[in-house]
Amino acid sequence: MAAFTGAATSSPSAAGNGYGADGQQAAAAEPAGQLTVANNPDLGKVLSDGAGLTLYRFDADTANPPKSNCDGDCATAWPPVPADDATAGAGIDKSLIGEVTRTDGTKQLTIGGWPAYRYAKDVNAGDVNGQGVGGKWYALAPDGKKATLASLPGLSVRKDAKLGDIVVDKNGHTVYRFLKDKAWPKSVSNCVGACAEKWPAVGIVSANDTKGVEKKGLMGFTRSDGAKQMTVDCWPIYTFSGDTAAGQTNGQGVGGTWYAVSPEGKAVGAPAA
């Protein structure tokens, strides 16, 4: 099996055309080649093409009967995979490989009836920058279903290629600290209103539903808005709305006040006080 190089760390998409790859030029329709199955630590078994690029499906499409609803700017951001030379590699049922005729007359690869796409922002084998974009795009599992996150505890630790060991939530999303918060003598969140919409507070997690996170100071508190929020080492923790997929760290260093959290509760990469 092919191996993934790591989780996605791309910047969040701009508003632009709404398809998650604004400004991208239409790419040549590269042949699929021999399809392979790659093991991703967050998504499990994921389908990729002969070059190791992740294949995706679109929730607005249909599989029975197969129909692609991604044209124009959408097809620029999400290039359809040609059907003509696709073959099944190890771990792939060749009976699930099919094709659908697009509105322009070209033949697009289908897996289990679902039209298959690449993502313009995936440039290296193993990239999964398209996972979860717009809440409608998902990596394909070998059977045509959505690749889903492996079962994770409420809080756990992931090794990031640049940041080292950092805390993630149950969805594999990076957890952050706000330097303007307080941890002592009591936990205080200073991220409210519009800030709280951009940086959602992590809700209460049982200590028994964590793995690798320092237990000391692992507790919840009541925010000024009445909501309950979790802490690591008594520091309030958050996720970032700009992280659209597991493994992204788009919130790192934002405004010089937001930083990923180490298993001990430290702000990873923050300047020395």
Side-chain angles (χ1 to χ4, degrees):
M1 290 185 180
F4 268 77
T5 57
T9 56
S10 69
S11 297
S13 59
N17 64 28
Y19 294 109
D22 305 309
Q24 296 288 340
Q25 299 297 314
E30 296 292 334
Q34 186 178 68
L35 306 181
T36 59
V37 179
N39 285 320
N40 179 278
D42 296 318
L43 302 177
K45 293 183 178 180
V46 175
L47 197 63
S48 57
D49 67 12
L53 292 175
T54 302
L55 302 187
Y56 297 89
R57 51 175 278 179
F58 184 32
D59 278 357
D61 288 347
T62 60
N64 187 24
K67 186 178 187 302
S68 168
N69 289 304
C70 178
D71 296 293
D73 285 344
C74 177
T76 299
W78 301 89
V81 180
D84 48 11
D85 80 329
T87 59
I92 302 168
D93 184 349
K94 64 181 181 181
S95 70
L96 295 177
I97 296 178
E99 62 182 41
V100 62
T101 302
R102 295 176 52 78
T103 55
D104 62 5
T106 59
K107 303 291 185 180
Q108 182 176 359
L109 174 69
T110 62
I111 305 295
W114 287 97
Y117 306 82
R118 300 183 180 96
Y119 185 41
K121 286 188 176 180
D122 284 351
V123 295
N124 299 309
D127 284 350
V128 288
N129 297 310
Q131 178 70 9
V133 167
K136 294 182 178 181
W137 291 92
Y138 297 92
L140 273 163
D143 58 2
K145 295 180 180 179
K146 299 176 186 178
T148 56
L149 288 169
S151 178
L152 293 174
L155 293 174
S156 60
V157 177
R158 180 180 71 82
K159 184 173 289 296
D160 183 83
K162 294 181 179 180
L163 303 178
D165 287 344
I166 57 175
V167 179
V168 297
D169 71 1
K170 63 181 180 181
N171 296 313
H173 286 197
T174 302
V175 166
Y176 298 91
R177 257 185 57 182
F178 186 34
L179 297 189
K180 294 183 179 181
D181 284 348
K182 296 181 180 179
W184 186 261
K186 67 177 183 177
S187 302
V188 175
S189 169
N190 287 308
C191 178
V192 296
C195 176
E197 293 180 8
K198 189 174 183 180
W199 300 89
V202 175
I204 303 301
V205 176
S206 167
N208 294 329
D209 190 26
T210 67
K211 183 177 181 180
V213 182
E214 175 64 48
K215 293 294 194 290
K216 182 181 179 181
L218 187 64
M219 62 186 70
F221 74 101
T222 302
R223 294 165 48 87
S224 61
D225 58 11
K228 303 292 186 180
Q229 184 170 4
M230 194 64 187
T231 72
V232 176
D233 192 31
C234 298
W235 287 99
I237 57 174
Y238 310 79
T239 54
F240 179 43
S241 61
D243 286 343
T244 58
Q248 294 183 345
T249 54
N250 297 313
Q252 178 67 6
V254 168
T257 54
W258 291 93
Y259 294 91
V261 179
S262 76
E264 299 76 33
K266 299 184 182 299
V268 178

